[in-house]
């Protein structure tokens, strides 16, 4: 008989087993060859998608296409999910429910939500001018927030909005501001505001440490890809802007004991590595075609049972 437990119970197993295999595969490839940041970003996003996709493929087992699900015992995900459904299904439901509550609470306490949107015309005009200096073609809505934390990011998938804090504008000179904006324009050009929906995959698989690791690597690769896309003339200024933002953030975090985890310009991650890469010569990447590792991940989705 098909019950709700049968739908929910193997979810945790898919996250750990399919997700674990996918992560191992890409992590080994990542160690073995120098991948371009955009390719790394795509592959780690795909790692996060694998357990969710294999979980949906599992639904075909429920509807009778898998002979093992109701058949004799075997160490397959679908049979384990059925045998331990009494425990796994309520466990998964409670786990996801509690996490949703914690996230909603964090959202309502978010410093960005609580900071004031200001209409400082001088601040807005400074950003608009710097933006026009680097690229006349780009049109972004600009929002200036009154907050001491130096941050800058683009949000909104269909009409990108550039959010900047007064804390950032105080720290950077005009050349550094242009470099930082060039980095944000690279995000817009790469449609990273749409790519960022990948965070939803991490949210539903939050209980897996490997999902967090894959997401951290995805974020690092996304930032390095935007840094890499910045024109050579802005690279030194961008490194200098990152250093200033890092220093100021560290001082503020030490002082206030809170972190702005949603800051995409700061973004946690490995800032030292980003600065080193900006100062280094242009790198040469491996010519491994992206479809090969993606095909291997697809095989995990289809063949894990
Ligand atoms: Zn960025």
């Amino acid at each position: 008989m098909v019950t709700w437990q049968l739908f929910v119970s193997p979810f945790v197993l898919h996250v750990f087993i399919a997700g674990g295999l996918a992560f191992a595969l890409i992590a080994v490839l990542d160690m073995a060859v120098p991948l371009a940041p955009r390719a790394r970003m795509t592959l780690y996003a795909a790692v996060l998608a694998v357990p969710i996709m294999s979980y949906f493929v599992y639904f075909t087992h429920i509807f009778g296409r898998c002979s093992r699900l109701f058949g004799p015992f075997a160490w397959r995900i679908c049979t384990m999910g059925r045998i331990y459904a009494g425990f796994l299904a309520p466990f998964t439901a409670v786990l996801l429910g509690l996490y949703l509550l914690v996230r909603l609470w964090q959202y309502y306490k978010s410093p960005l939500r609580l900071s004031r949107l200001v209409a400082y015309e001088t601040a807005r005009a400074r950003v608009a001018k710097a933006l026009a200096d680097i690229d006349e073609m780009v049109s972004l809505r600009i929002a200036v927030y009154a907050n001491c934390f130096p941050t800058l990011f683009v949000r909104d998938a269909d009409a990108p909005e550039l959010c900047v804090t007064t804390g950032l504008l105080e720290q950077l000179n005009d050349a550094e501001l242009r470099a930082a904006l060039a980095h944000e324009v690279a995000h817009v050009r790469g449609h990273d505001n749409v790519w960022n929906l990948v965070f939803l995959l991490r949210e539903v698989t939050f209980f897996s440490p490997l999902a967090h690791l894959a997401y951290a690597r995805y974020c690092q690769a996304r930032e390095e890809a935007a840094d890499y896309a910045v024109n050579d003339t802005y690279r030194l200024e961008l490194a200098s802007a990152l250093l200033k933002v890092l220093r100021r953030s560290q001082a503020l975090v030490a002082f206030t004991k809170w972190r702005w985890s949603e800051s995409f310009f700061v973004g946690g991650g490995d800032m030292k590595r980003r600065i080193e890469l900006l100062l280094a010569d242009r790198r040469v990447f491996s010519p491994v075609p992206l479809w090969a590792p993606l095909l291997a991940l697809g095989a995990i989705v289809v063949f894990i049972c």
Side-chain angles (χ1 to χ4, degrees):
M1 201 184 78
V2 175
T3 56
W4 75 271
Q5 285 101 328
L6 213 51
F7 277 96
V8 178
S9 65
F11 181 71
V12 179
L13 300 175
H14 276 272
V15 170
F16 281 120
I17 300 170
L21 281 174
F23 182 85
L25 184 78
I26 299 308
V28 167
L29 179 72
D30 192 17
M31 270 196 300
V33 291
L35 295 165
R38 204 76 204 166
R40 284 187 79 216
M41 174 184 155
T42 310
L43 289 175
Y44 281 110
V47 165
L48 287 162
V50 162
I52 308 299
M53 286 161 76
S54 73
Y55 170 66
F56 280 110
V57 168
Y58 155 79
F59 286 177
T60 61
H61 299 220
I62 298 179
F63 297 111
R65 283 181 220 155
C66 177
S67 57
R68 290 183 186 88
L69 178 58
F70 294 103
F73 179 81
W75 283 106
R76 311 289 292 221
I77 293 181
C78 65
T79 39
M80 281 196 282
R82 183 177 64 82
I83 291 162
Y84 302 111
F87 164 72
L88 283 176
F91 174 72
T92 310
V94 169
L95 204 65
L96 290 172
L98 282 178
Y99 190 67
L100 186 68
L101 290 179
V102 169
R103 278 305 199 196
L104 282 175
W105 182 79
Q106 281 177 339
Y107 172 75
Y108 281 101
K109 300 293 268 185
S110 151
L112 179 67
R113 231 183 62 80
L114 298 177
S115 29
R116 211 157 31 89
L117 191 63
V118 287
Y120 294 144
E121 266 323 300
T122 42
R124 277 177 58 86
R126 186 179 164 213
V127 176
K129 182 177 179 310
L131 205 54
D133 284 347
I134 54 163
D135 192 338
E136 290 164 354
M137 301 300 288
V138 71
S139 81
L140 291 171
R141 292 181 293 137
I142 298 167
V144 180
Y145 285 92
N147 191 297
C148 61
F149 207 87
T151 192
L152 172 67
F153 59 91
V154 175
R155 68 172 173 200
D156 223 340
D158 41 75
E161 181 179 46
L162 184 79
C163 302
V164 52
T165 59
T166 46
L168 184 95
L169 294 174
E170 281 162 16
Q171 291 292 313
L172 304 187
N173 64 34
D174 284 343
E176 289 158 346
L177 180 63
R178 277 196 293 273
L181 290 172
H183 168 100
E184 293 308 315
V185 169
H187 278 311
V188 176
R189 293 259 144 94
H191 304 287
D192 290 350
N193 38 340
V194 182
W195 271 94
N196 281 337
L197 295 174
V198 164
F199 93 94
L200 290 171
L201 299 174
R202 186 212 48 186
E203 293 292 278
V204 290
T205 58
F206 70 95
F207 47 85
S208 160
L210 288 183
H212 287 271
L213 201 52
Y215 186 74
R217 291 188 181 187
Y218 158 81
C219 289
Q220 181 73 19
R222 178 195 62 202
E223 294 313 311
E224 286 175 16
D227 289 346
Y228 192 76
V230 164
N231 194 303
D232 279 346
T233 46
Y234 297 121
R235 288 168 71 88
L236 287 183
E237 265 79 29
L238 183 55
S240 160
L242 284 176
L243 195 60
K244 278 188 176 175
V245 165
L246 182 64
R247 273 200 186 140
R248 179 78 177 142
S249 310
Q250 282 173 346
L252 284 172
V253 167
F255 179 64
T256 60
K257 296 219 166 44
W258 54 255
R259 284 187 151 274
W260 200 342
S261 58
E262 302 308 318
S263 155
F264 295 135
F265 190 64
V266 184
D270 194 344
M271 289 279 259
K272 185 167 163 271
R273 185 180 138 98
R274 283 178 64 191
I275 293 171
E276 279 171 358
L277 289 176
L278 279 166
L279 298 180
D281 290 333
R282 291 272 175 185
R283 288 165 294 159
V284 181
F285 300 114
S286 155
V288 170
L290 201 54
W291 60 262
L294 285 177
L295 201 67
L297 292 178
I300 296 176
V301 169
V302 175
F303 292 113
I304 212 149
C305 192

